[in-house]
Amino acid sequence: MTSGDNLFGRLLGRSSALTLDTPIAHPTGLQLQLDHQGHVLTVNGTLRSQLAAHALGDARPLLRELLCASSALSIEGSPADWQRQTLDLDFQGTADMVLHTRGWIEPDGDGWSLRLLDVGDLLAGRQLAQQRDHNYVMACQMSEQLRVCSLARLPEVFSEHLRSLAQQWHIPCVAMALLDEEDQGWRIYSQYAAHDAPALWQTDQHLGISLDSANGNAPLSLAQGRSDNPPLHSIFGNTDGFLVPYRDSQGVAAWLLCGLYNSQPHTSDRDWLNLTAALAAPLLSRLREQRHHQQLERVEALQGLLGTGWWELLPATQQIQLAPQLLHSLGQEDGATRQGLDAWLELIHPADRQELNSRLQDLQALGKPLLASVRLQRSDTDHTPIWYRVQGQVLGAGDNRRWIGFMLDISDIKNQQLQAAAAHARLDNLIASSPAVIYVQRYINGALHPAFFSDSLLPLLGWTLADCDHTSLVSLIHPEDRDLYFERTRQLLREGTVRSRYRLRDKQGHYHWLLDEAKLLRDDLGLPVEAVGLWLDVTDATLAAEHIRQSEERYRILVEDSPAMICRYQPDLTLTFGNTPLANYLECMPSQLPGLNLGNWLSDEQRQAFVQRISQLTAEFPVSTAEISLQLPGREHAWWVWSDRGVFDEHGALVEVQAVGRDNTDVRRSQQQLTQSAKMATLGEMATGLAHEINQPLNVMHMAVVNVLKRLSSGDVQIDYLTEKLQRIDAQVQRAARVVDHMRVFGRRSEIEQQPFDPAQALEGTLSLLGEGLRGKGVEMRITPADCGVQVNGYVDQLEQVLINLMVNARDALLGKRGKDPQFRPWIAVHCEHDSRHVRIWVEDNGGGIDPRLLERIFEPFFTTKPIGVGTGLGLSVSYGIVENMGGRLSVANGEEGAKFCIELPVL
Ligand code: ADP
């Protein structure tokens, strides 16, 4: 290329090559001789050979015909018109080339001389400059737009620029690859592919580190099929490629990738570098801005979430600057971000303010890092304190020093800390005052050495850690329990956990029973590190257990050795336990009793009555006592006084019955004997009356016999007369026989079991024995017809005996009274009444009654007011026992004229 100076010289005509003196045969450039019409006569000069052939022929073409179409227009008219102006003429050259020339025309003899110089390189330079200008403008525009567009539109704007770049330079595929800061690889930020080009890249495509292998100083052309750098070629699919780097202070930060393309000569490397820089620099700066922005947003969000924020001291103005988030969390949304240090300190609770202030001064004066936990001064009534951690440090040095820190809301942590501390203190207190000691024993060479005891050791045992070291601990253990302790340690080391109980001496010399529970802690390799355990003072519990065991033993002995029968049975009468006396009665071993049924030894009636009685037990009235009769093996009848106590579950249902019994058979038997003897005594007593009862019929019969004999001796015997007398005698015989019969019945022993009967039956029997005798003695019998019609349970003969006793006593009182007053008219009244539950038989006389002072005593055995040999004092006491045994009651009161007895019996 011609140098600029030469070109300039040529244009100014100063170049020697342009002087007019230059020999015409070889002038520089092109020299044409023209006639006045503009026909070319001759062509000379160094450029002559570059003109198209038709310009050099013999024909004289017009100058216009040698020019390209565009430049032909600029010369209209004849040569005379073209004088004194610069002519730019483009000739058709050889091989379709255009020869760009510039020159002037001057008269030359008869014609005109046109002198032209080659300005092709000058034009090319200008075009290049224009192109460069264009590039520059375009780069500036792109750069500007990238700088000002919103962050959200950045990808879109950038992609637009890539597209115009591609179109401008006819690049089929273009992309911008950026260095990914996270993984230090290259990534496609944006790409464009013309519609007829293959898409070599995708947005966000990861290129790995393959671009690192390119030299990042200058654009790089990759020719298809030349794989001196295979990774790089593979990025371009092994086709033509062109890469332009962008370097910033850190090194290559971006690559412009042009695929299926090779650089064109009119765009220099410098231009490419500039163009790429125009795209990449603002893009990277905007992306950094975006990252910074996001970072800021994250920090702000974090500050908001944590209730924290930065602050910076401004000592020059005695001010502090606070992050907006901090103002917000301090409840100072309206406050200024810069405020006086004093105003800020006012926010702090007075208790912490001075300390914080002094530390702030230390920070400023000494550069001492600040760390303090402070409470906020609160005006509201909520007493939960708000805690902040204030931390600060000095940044920079010298004049660039800054004092920066943050405040963090630690109320949660602080309050939890306080709560935990309080809980800890409570726990410590609890342990210290409980009968428990927590200990740690360190593992040293196979042995466990005490390393820690909780404070409760001292109050509990009076020892300290120093008293309980490895050697002395064993000496504190009860000699009898030392083996237990050694075994405990062995088991702990072997199995990792142990629970044992041994005695340990306290400072006073007393032994405590300790329950020891320990666990072995191991390190990562499984080697023992230490044992953590708990001593629980179980002295009281152990002694109490011993106590219970002893008392249980005593009760067991008591139950076993008791002469009473003791047992437990279920509501269906199945025994669950019975002691030896019970087993003896039932003729088996105590161990055989569980499972047997008590009902086996009861008659059907007794069992029914028993079950019914048990079913009436309730949680409120769980106890019932009764006399039960049993049919025991090898014995006749047994009478047991049996006391039951029900055990109930939480719903009040009977679960079990505990019973205590005593054999009452002997008492029963003697009672029966007593009753019997009393009966006999009654009979004896009634002998006079009975003699009268029997005498009466005998007298009647005697009279009849005497009268019959008299008639027989007088011979006046009629059949009717005889028949009538014999019938009378028969009636009297029957009457006497009835009396004797009843006496026999009465004299018999009572039945074993109680039977239902009508009480009127007993009254009848009594009257058959006593009625006539009493009447014979002049006692009026006032008997209200007995229409009881109800049944009672018991023994009819015994109730008869009671009635006999009452009537005999009444008779004695009446006859005694008549002995003193012959005018006295004695009577005995008997009447019955009943309601749905009871029947009552009243026996009343007019014998004057009983001395009120004696009323309470007359039922006592052997109490009598009658002379010795007459009264036995047994009648009423036996009668009382009989009535009670039938479930009734015998009572007495003084009536209007005499004693009034009442027999009350439950009806069936
Ligand atoms: P005994 O008849 O052998 O004295 P009892 O036990 O039958 O024994 O009577 C005790 C006492 O009660 C009698 O001694 C008598 O004093 C008094 N007694 C009983 N019945 C009557 C009665 N109907 N009128 C007055 N006293 C009576």
Side-chain angles (χ1 to χ4, degrees):
M1 186 184 284
T2 313
S3 79
D5 281 349
N6 276 344
L7 186 68
F8 196 58
R10 272 184 287 158
L11 287 175
L12 293 178
R14 275 195 305 240
S15 163
S16 58
L18 292 176
T19 56
L20 297 174
D21 310 330
T22 306
I24 289 177
H26 301 290
T28 310
L30 204 59
Q31 193 175 346
L32 302 169
Q33 287 298 134
L34 303 180
D35 64 11
H36 292 292
Q37 286 77 40
H39 291 103
V40 179
L41 305 178
T42 58
V43 180
N44 288 309
T46 48
L47 296 176
R48 186 173 182 276
S49 59
Q50 293 182 26
L51 281 184
H54 70 276
L56 308 173
D58 294 337
R60 291 177 173 186
L62 280 172
L63 175 65
R64 189 182 314 133
E65 290 166 354
L66 301 182
L67 299 179
C68 295
S70 56
S71 120
L73 291 175
S74 62
I75 44 166
E76 292 291 326
S78 59
D81 303 329
W82 307 336
Q83 291 182 95
R84 289 177 292 280
Q85 60 179 309
T86 305
L87 299 175
D88 283 332
L89 301 176
D90 295 345
F91 288 85
Q92 288 174 359
T94 51
D96 282 344
M97 292 281 287
V98 175
L99 190 63
H100 301 282
T101 63
R102 174 171 290 180
W104 61 93
I105 195 160
E106 57 189 16
D108 182 13
D110 194 23
W112 296 85
S113 174
L114 180 60
R115 293 167 187 266
L116 297 165
L117 291 173
D118 180 2
V119 292
D121 53 352
L122 190 70
L123 284 181
R126 185 180 319 150
Q127 207 176 4
L128 201 65
Q130 276 174 354
Q131 180 70 33
R132 200 168 269 170
D133 276 356
H134 180 76
N135 288 355
Y136 179 73
V137 171
M138 187 173 164
C140 284
Q141 279 175 352
M142 290 196 299
S143 182
E144 178 66 12
Q145 283 176 17
L146 286 174
R147 259 182 247 284
V148 298
C149 73
S150 71
L151 281 173
R153 286 199 62 236
L154 184 66
E156 193 187 327
V157 171
F158 189 84
S159 135
E160 190 59 31
H161 289 332
L162 266 193
R163 191 167 64 83
S164 44
L165 182 83
Q167 285 167 352
Q168 184 84 28
W169 272 266
H170 306 290
I171 313 173
C173 276
V174 64
M176 181 63 81
L178 301 181
L179 193 59
D180 193 324
E181 286 187 345
E182 279 170 26
D183 56 9
Q184 292 296 308
W186 293 93
R187 201 177 277 279
I188 301 290
Y189 172 74
S190 182
Q191 59 85 29
Y192 169 80
H195 69 276
D196 53 351
L200 284 177
W201 306 292
Q202 304 296 324
T203 301
D204 269 341
Q205 184 184 337
H206 195 64
L207 299 178
I209 54 161
S210 40
L211 278 169
D212 289 348
S213 57
N215 171 13
N217 289 322
L220 185 68
S221 261
L222 297 172
Q224 182 175 0
R226 279 188 49 211
S227 58
D228 47 348
N229 190 341
L232 214 50
H233 278 270
S234 74
I235 293 179
F236 289 86
N238 294 322
T239 61
D240 283 349
F242 182 66
L243 307 87
V244 190
Y246 167 70
R247 294 184 76 95
D248 63 9
S249 57
Q250 312 280 310
V252 181
W255 285 96
L256 181 72
L257 308 180
C258 305
L260 309 165
Y261 179 77
N262 247 318
S263 177
Q264 302 300 313
H266 56 261
T267 311
S268 70
D269 282 2
R270 180 87 282 184
D271 292 340
W272 275 116
L273 288 171
N274 286 341
L275 205 58
T276 305
L279 276 174
L283 173 67
L284 288 170
S285 137
R286 292 307 300 272
L287 290 177
R288 260 195 303 277
E289 179 195 339
Q290 189 172 32
R291 272 200 299 277
H292 181 69
H293 189 73
Q294 286 170 345
Q295 184 71 11
L296 214 61
E297 274 180 346
R298 279 198 287 268
V299 171
E300 281 180 7
L302 191 70
Q303 291 189 87
L305 284 175
L306 288 178
T308 180
W310 53 262
W311 52 258
E312 178 164 1
L313 278 185
L314 309 168
T317 53
Q318 274 297 301
Q319 277 185 313
I320 187 164
Q321 183 163 10
L322 303 174
Q325 287 79 14
L326 188 56
L327 278 177
H328 179 77
S329 64
L330 289 172
Q332 298 246 308
E333 287 89 345
D334 304 333
T337 52
R338 266 171 195 245
Q339 47 184 263
L341 198 56
D342 290 342
W344 178 67
L345 281 170
E346 283 297 308
L347 298 176
I348 310 298
H349 195 279
D352 302 325
R353 197 179 294 155
Q354 208 178 7
E355 186 185 340
L356 180 61
N357 195 12
S358 124
R359 293 195 181 204
L360 280 171
Q361 280 164 7
D362 284 355
L363 174 71
Q364 288 175 58
L366 312 172
K368 194 171 153 193
L370 165 78
L371 176 60
S373 294
V374 299
R375 278 156 290 185
L376 287 196
Q377 166 81 309
R378 302 191 66 179
S379 52
D380 52 22
T381 48
D382 188 348
H383 295 301
T384 318
I386 297 182
W387 283 91
Y388 270 88
R389 168 193 283 245
V390 185
Q391 213 164 333
Q393 62 180 29
V394 182
L395 282 188
D399 290 344
N400 293 329
R401 262 190 308 167
R402 294 169 71 188
W403 296 267
I404 294 180
F406 70 87
M407 280 179 83
L408 173 67
D409 186 344
I410 51 163
S411 303
D412 284 356
I413 303 168
K414 197 76 188 177
N415 290 332
Q416 274 171 16
Q417 251 175 16
L418 290 177
Q419 278 171 12
H424 209 264
R426 280 199 295 274
L427 194 67
D428 277 349
N429 218 341
L430 199 70
I431 293 173
S433 58
S434 76
V437 176
I438 293 172
Y439 64 79
V440 175
Q441 294 182 331
R442 193 132 299 140
Y443 176 84
I444 302 171
N445 294 332
L448 290 172
H449 293 254
F452 166 81
F453 285 102
S454 61
D455 292 345
S456 45
L457 179 67
L458 192 65
L460 193 71
L461 297 172
W463 302 121
T464 62
L465 176 60
D467 303 321
C468 296
D469 65 11
H470 181 50
T471 35
S472 39
L473 184 60
V474 174
S475 68
L476 298 180
I477 292 169
H478 195 289
E480 287 174 14
D481 295 347
R482 279 181 198 157
D483 283 347
L484 276 177
Y485 182 73
F486 295 138
E487 177 49 33
R488 163 249 179 223
T489 306
R490 279 196 293 273
Q491 193 186 340
L492 180 58
L493 291 174
R494 200 170 53 236
E495 294 172 16
T497 155
V498 75
R499 185 188 161 97
S500 68
R501 190 191 281 255
Y502 46 82
R503 279 163 289 180
L504 198 105
R505 185 154 45 83
D506 67 11
K507 203 162 190 171
Q508 273 81 43
H510 301 132
Y511 279 100
H512 292 244
W513 275 103
L514 296 182
L515 179 68
D516 181 358
E517 284 204 26
K519 203 170 157 61
L520 191 67
L521 305 181
R522 297 173 186 274
D523 63 11
D524 293 348
L525 300 174
L527 297 174
V529 178
E530 59 185 25
V532 179
L534 183 89
W535 276 343
L536 202 64
D537 188 341
V538 291
T539 311
D540 291 348
T542 308
L543 294 180
E546 177 62 13
H547 226 72
I548 288 171
R549 202 188 58 72
Q550 284 175 2
S551 93
E552 269 179 356
E553 178 63 14
R554 277 201 295 274
Y555 278 112
R556 198 186 62 75
I557 292 169
L558 203 66
V559 167
E560 280 307 313
D561 297 356
S562 160
M565 292 165 278
I566 296 173
C567 68
R568 292 200 309 268
Y569 59 90
Q570 291 164 356
D572 67 354
L573 309 190
T574 306
L575 284 167
T576 52
F577 164 81
N579 67 351
T580 312
L582 180 69
N584 289 344
Y585 275 106
L586 302 182
E587 293 194 338
C588 64
M589 303 293 291
S591 58
Q592 295 171 316
L593 286 175
L596 297 179
N597 194 299
L598 269 184
N600 294 347
W601 292 277
L602 298 173
S603 67
D604 287 349
E605 296 83 32
Q606 280 276 332
R607 188 167 51 241
Q608 271 173 18
F610 194 98
V611 169
Q612 200 198 352
R613 192 171 54 82
I614 295 302
S615 69
Q616 283 166 356
L617 295 178
T618 61
E620 289 79 33
F621 304 103
V623 180
S624 151
T625 303
E627 191 172 44
I628 58 173
S629 156
L630 295 99
Q631 295 154 349
L632 293 182
R635 296 174 62 165
E636 203 186 332
H637 278 93
W639 290 93
W640 289 352
V641 175
W642 196 250
S643 205
D644 295 293
R645 190 182 209 293
V647 178
F648 298 87
D649 65 12
E650 67 270 26
H651 307 296
L654 183 66
V655 181
E656 198 186 55
V657 181
Q658 297 179 347
V660 180
R662 117 181 108 74
D663 188 359
N664 203 36
T665 311
D666 290 345
V667 178
R668 229 335 148 113
R669 197 161 285 150
S670 42
Q671 258 178 6
Q672 275 177 349
Q673 278 166 359
L674 195 64
T675 314
Q676 192 59 25
S677 12
K679 243 195 240 177
M680 290 305 161
T682 310
L683 275 182
E685 240 180 85
M686 287 186 332
T688 342
L690 284 172
H692 175 81
E693 286 292 317
I694 292 165
N695 238 0
Q696 198 62 19
L698 285 178
N699 281 340
V700 175
M701 284 191 289
H702 178 70
M703 287 306 295
V705 169
V706 170
N707 288 340
V708 168
L709 285 175
K710 236 189 241 169
R711 284 287 180 103
L712 278 176
S713 61
S714 64
D716 180 17
V717 183
Q718 279 141 11
I719 288 295
D720 290 352
Y721 178 78
L722 266 181
T723 309
E724 191 258 328
K725 287 296 172 202
L726 285 174
Q727 280 172 344
R728 182 176 290 179
I729 290 167
D730 187 41
Q732 293 307 314
V733 167
Q734 279 180 27
R735 182 181 156 194
R738 260 206 318 275
V739 172
V740 172
D741 229 25
H742 188 76
M743 276 176 60
R744 268 218 310 274
V745 172
F746 182 71
R748 253 196 262 144
R749 280 168 174 272
S750 301
E751 296 281 338
I752 295 299
E753 300 267 339
Q754 294 189 337
Q755 308 282 340
F757 67 94
D758 185 349
Q761 226 179 312
L763 184 58
E764 250 169 54
T766 309
L767 292 176
S768 74
L769 283 178
L770 296 181
E772 284 306 317
L774 287 170
R775 275 189 211 98
K777 290 218 157 48
V779 178
E780 183 192 348
M781 296 301 290
R782 299 179 178 173
I783 309 298
T784 315
D787 66 339
C788 288
V790 290
Q791 298 270 305
V792 296
N793 211 13
Y795 310 96
V796 65
D797 59 318
Q798 292 189 3
L799 181 60
E800 197 172 301
Q801 190 187 349
V802 172
L803 286 168
I804 289 171
N805 282 339
L806 297 182
M807 287 197 199
V808 166
N809 279 345
R811 180 201 64 194
D812 290 347
L814 292 171
L815 296 185
K817 193 172 176 187
R818 204 181 46 195
K820 294 172 196 158
D821 175 14
Q823 298 305 310
F824 174 61
R825 304 198 60 77
W827 53 259
I828 297 176
V830 181
H831 81 274
C832 293
E833 62 174 34
H834 71 91
D835 55 25
S836 59
R837 295 169 60 202
H838 294 105
V839 55
R840 290 179 200 88
I841 305 168
W842 299 91
V843 180
E844 190 176 356
D845 60 60
N846 62 341
I850 304 160
D851 184 338
R853 287 168 297 179
L854 305 179
L855 266 181
E856 284 184 8
R857 302 190 53 204
I858 56 168
F859 293 114
E860 289 175 12
F862 308 112
F863 176 83
T864 178
T865 55
K866 294 170 190 168
I868 296 173
V870 177
T872 59
L874 280 177
L876 283 182
S877 85
V878 168
S879 300
Y880 190 91
I882 289 171
V883 175
E884 193 178 47
N885 195 29
M886 289 168 67
R889 222 166 70 89
L890 177 61
S891 59
V892 65
N894 278 322
E896 283 172 17
E897 295 178 60
K900 188 176 180 183
F901 285 85
C902 175
I903 304 164
E904 186 183 66
L905 293 169
V907 297
L908 275 181

